[in-house]
Amino acid sequence: MSTTEKTGGAPALSKGAAGGSTSGPLSRLARAILMSEQFVLILCALLFVAVLPFVPRIASGGNISNLLSNYWPLLAIAVGQTYVMILGGIDLSQIAVVAVASVLGAAVMTAGVDPVLFERSVLWGWALSDEGGLAAGGWWTVPAGATVMIVSGAVIGAIAGFVIAVFRVPAFMMTLVSLLFFSAVAVWLTRSENVTGLPETFGAIADRGAYGFLSWSMLICGGLAVAAHLLLTRTVFGRWVYATGMNPEAARISGVPVRRVIFWCYVISGVCAAVGALIYSARLEMGRPAFGDNLNLLLDVIGATVIGGTSLFGGRGKILWTAYGVILFVLLSNALNLLNLTYFTVLMVKGGVILAAAWLDVKRRALLGVS
């Protein structure tokens, strides 16, 4: 059995561990549901059915389209977070990546900005002018902007990954520093002004398609998730990621290039955040430096990844689980908004859900006999 099979899936429990010989049918059913790979999907169905009588419009076509438009960019970012969490790390800098990528990509693509607002910007005069950005006005505008976004995300991820892998700085500390620094960079680049004037073809990326399906957002983010899944489950690199997350020292002794694995996982995390920036910027039709202050987005990404079943302790997780977690988190946010709860109540409920997910993770590990 491969390492992935041992760690990524829901391992079968022994009869004794599952309590099958001493527990009643309800207890066995509860344990079976808890350990099921579809546990989060079952929660989604229960939540949907529970909310439906109170807010019937949650099942309307318009609302489902809205749900999916929120789902795709969050999925893209959470896919990157899954990689670093399987390592046993965390990436708090993803929203800073979104901010920097959004601003730089928009600055390249814009057809023109107000000189009064931007003449004191560090980009003014060489990368940005009242006539537009460096790649404005051609067929290459959108590809160039998207490339700048992806590269900027990869670079920020590479910086964090290098420091964590080489200097063994705790991931929480390094990515927190990266979050603060690059959030400030995004604001500094444009003096906190949004970059507008993006081409219509770029905005079309965020079109919702038919009820959120068959859209560019779905193709881009869905394709990214499939590629990430295949990389994690069908390659040697994927097995190295799980091995590093389970026990870095044992992995190193076994010949796994642990530092390289850590480095590339943070690069992947940065690239995934940049893809999220692409979708969010297209939806807003602007480059927005304030993304770095959006701690709600960071809460959603981490919460969805953990709720999906990726272990906070490393060594266990799947892209499919994260996809389930994002569904639950997006549905939960949508339901709370439709119930007209206050902003503070929504945050408190989300925090409670994340705490419950962490508790379930501990219970699952206990049932599996994992220390």
Side-chain angles (χ1 to χ4, degrees):
M1 182 181 292
S2 68
T3 307
T4 303
E5 290 171 325
K6 289 178 181 176
T7 59
L13 293 173
S14 66
K15 191 174 182 180
S21 59
T22 58
S23 303
L26 289 178
S27 178
R28 288 198 297 272
L29 177 62
R31 286 172 182 256
I33 292 175
L34 180 63
M35 301 309 301
S36 169
E37 289 201 13
Q38 283 70 45
F39 173 66
V40 177
L41 212 52
I42 294 170
L43 287 182
C44 292
L46 292 175
L47 175 63
F48 186 83
V49 171
V51 173
L52 188 59
F54 301 98
V55 278
R57 62 192 172 108
I58 196 172
S60 67
N63 189 62
I64 291 174
S65 176
N66 182 48
L67 276 170
L68 289 174
S69 70
N70 292 325
Y71 176 78
W72 299 120
L74 188 61
L75 173 64
I77 303 173
V79 163
Q81 191 70 236
T82 303
Y83 269 77
V84 295
M85 280 196 176
I86 291 174
L87 280 179
I90 193 168
D91 190 354
L92 302 177
S93 66
Q94 284 189 307
I95 56 173
V97 173
V98 173
V100 173
S102 176
V103 167
L104 290 180
V108 168
M109 291 186 287
T110 182
V113 293
D114 187 346
V116 175
L117 298 177
F118 284 88
E119 62 184 1
R120 296 174 64 188
S121 162
V122 68
L123 298 175
W124 188 254
W126 65 277
L128 199 59
S129 71
D130 54 354
E131 296 181 351
L134 290 174
W139 62 266
W140 54 82
T141 300
V142 174
T147 301
V148 168
M149 288 183 176
I150 300 302
V151 170
S152 61
V155 169
I156 295 174
I159 293 172
F162 178 81
V163 174
I164 293 168
V166 175
F167 300 105
R168 298 189 177 184
V169 174
F172 181 89
M173 290 302 300
M174 180 57 212
T175 57
L176 178 61
V177 170
S178 188
L179 164 65
L180 297 174
F181 180 80
F182 286 105
S183 294
V185 167
V187 173
W188 171 69
L189 286 172
T190 63
R191 300 185 68 81
S192 199
E193 297 293 341
N194 296 324
V195 181
T196 57
L198 304 188
E200 292 183 3
T201 49
F202 180 67
I205 292 175
D207 286 348
R208 297 186 177 186
Y211 299 105
F213 293 98
L214 300 177
S215 62
W216 281 109
S217 299
M218 186 195 78
L219 293 175
I220 294 171
C221 299
L224 176 72
V226 170
H229 169 74
L230 294 176
L231 179 65
L232 203 53
T233 59
R234 298 286 189 272
T235 67
V236 173
F237 177 78
R239 291 194 286 274
W240 286 350
V241 174
Y242 283 108
T244 303
M246 291 182 70
N247 189 327
E249 189 59 27
R252 187 187 63 78
I253 294 172
S254 301
V256 175
V258 171
R259 289 182 176 178
R260 263 193 290 158
V261 171
I262 294 173
F263 173 81
W264 283 110
C265 281
Y266 280 90
V267 171
I268 291 170
S269 178
V271 169
C272 290
V275 172
L278 180 75
I279 305 301
Y280 282 128
S281 300
R283 184 199 297 180
L284 297 174
E285 297 182 342
M286 66 173 66
R288 192 179 183 200
F291 274 126
D293 298 328
N294 192 353
L295 294 179
N296 286 338
L297 177 59
L298 182 62
L299 179 71
D300 288 354
V301 170
I302 294 175
T305 307
V306 174
I307 287 171
T310 299
S311 174
L312 289 166
F313 302 94
R316 197 174 81 245
K318 281 185 175 181
I319 300 300
L320 183 62
W321 296 353
T322 296
Y324 292 162
V326 175
I327 292 174
L328 179 60
F329 224 78
V330 171
L331 181 62
L332 177 66
S333 299
N334 182 254
L336 294 174
N337 288 327
L338 291 178
L339 288 169
N340 289 322
L341 299 180
T342 64
Y343 172 76
F344 304 104
T345 304
V346 170
L347 285 184
M348 285 189 286
V349 172
K350 282 185 176 180
V353 171
I354 294 174
L355 179 62
W359 178 77
L360 286 174
D361 182 47
V362 172
K363 296 296 291 182
R364 284 184 173 195
R365 292 178 67 83
L367 287 171
L368 290 168
V370 179
S371 60

